[in-house]
Amino acid sequence: MMGHSHALSGAVVWLGVAPGLVALPGIVAPELASVVGSALTPAELVAGALVCAGAAMLPDLDHPSATIAQTFGPVTWALSKVVNVISGGHRHATHSLLFAVGMGVGAHFLAQNYPIGRDIMVVLAIGLALRAIGIGVPGKKLTSALVNIGLTAGLFATFLTLGVQYAWLGFAIGIGCLVHVLGDCLTERGCPVLWPIPGKWLLPYDIGFKTGKKFELNILAPVLSVAVVVLLFLRLGVTSG
């Protein structure tokens, strides 16, 4: 899948499942009850959609040559190089169920215990989401990074002003990573879902679609875009009602 498809998928899934978090107070961790025990605020719903969209790009930080690695310039490029080495290359460890669960648990731990680490995770996710949907200046890596940094900082500050709480961060990060893995399983290359157990999960060649071809560009991406808008309208209507 291309970056924008991953990000849009993450946003769609978050907007689809977020209301269900209200029915799960204390199941994953008792301290979550303060947030999921009542409806998420509109700001938290939007912040969650953006964070989940960015988390749906985290697995591709194993690819230093990808556009997403240029999100914050040298910072994210260096991070991508490290992830690439540790994970064993593109579409290896980061494209697995273990990675999705680990990132979700890790993000939840940060959200509950380390505000600075939590904020770094949120900022990274927001930046990845913006980059994935095409925010930037074509052919201008540094300019694109600066634009992304400015917009990310503005959104993070806005969420801070609106009193957004991040007890749901682990859910958003874990769900986003899982959506990425499942999305790539639908393509012709598949993913090592059960890594470190060898073998890739993928659809038969005549069913799985090719990344960046007509189906994804002309059908999947538009459908996901419309779904995001519709779900935002429905969820925000319900949340504010």
Side-chain angles (χ1 to χ4, degrees):
M1 270 187 166
M2 298 179 70
H4 61 269
S5 297
H6 281 305
L8 291 171
S9 296
V12 167
V13 173
W14 170 260
L15 292 170
V17 305
L21 296 180
V22 177
L24 297 175
I27 290 180
V28 174
E31 59 268 26
L32 284 175
S34 62
V35 171
V36 300
S38 59
L40 297 174
T41 67
E44 288 167 347
L45 192 70
V46 173
L50 196 55
V51 168
C52 196
M57 292 307 304
L58 283 173
D60 272 350
L61 279 178
D62 64 359
H63 191 358
S65 297
T67 301
I68 201 71
Q70 307 298 329
T71 298
F72 293 146
V75 175
T76 41
W77 179 83
L79 175 62
S80 184
K81 291 287 287 186
V82 172
V83 172
N84 177 267
V85 172
I86 294 176
S87 66
H90 185 45
R91 289 210 189 192
H92 284 83
T94 63
H95 287 64
S96 67
L97 179 61
L98 182 62
F99 178 80
V101 173
M103 289 300 298
V105 172
H108 173 69
F109 179 77
L110 289 176
Q112 298 301 319
N113 299 285
Y114 297 98
I116 294 179
R118 174 203 65 199
D119 292 346
I120 290 174
M121 178 64 75
V122 171
V123 166
L124 176 62
I126 292 174
L128 291 176
L130 294 178
R131 189 62 173 151
I133 61 176
I135 300 298
V137 181
K140 302 291 184 180
K141 292 182 179 180
L142 179 58
T143 303
S144 295
L146 293 175
V147 168
N148 199 295
I149 290 171
L151 290 176
T152 298
L155 284 168
F156 180 77
T158 298
F159 293 145
L160 183 64
T161 301
L162 294 175
V164 169
Q165 300 297 310
Y166 292 101
W168 45 262
L169 183 64
F171 283 105
I173 296 295
I175 289 170
C177 291
L178 181 59
V179 167
H180 182 111
V181 172
L182 295 177
D184 275 352
C185 283
L186 301 178
T187 66
E188 76 280 9
R189 292 183 59 192
C191 283
V193 178
L194 297 181
W195 182 93
I197 298 174
K200 289 189 175 183
W201 289 26
L202 69 165
L203 293 176
Y205 183 78
D206 56 346
I207 298 179
F209 66 89
K210 291 182 178 294
T211 301
K213 300 301 181 181
K214 289 184 178 181
F215 173 77
E216 182 174 9
L217 295 175
N218 299 334
I219 299 177
L220 182 61
V223 168
L224 289 173
S225 299
V226 171
V228 169
V229 174
V230 171
L231 284 170
L232 271 174
F233 176 79
L234 292 175
R235 298 311 187 199
L236 291 178
V238 171
T239 303
S240 60

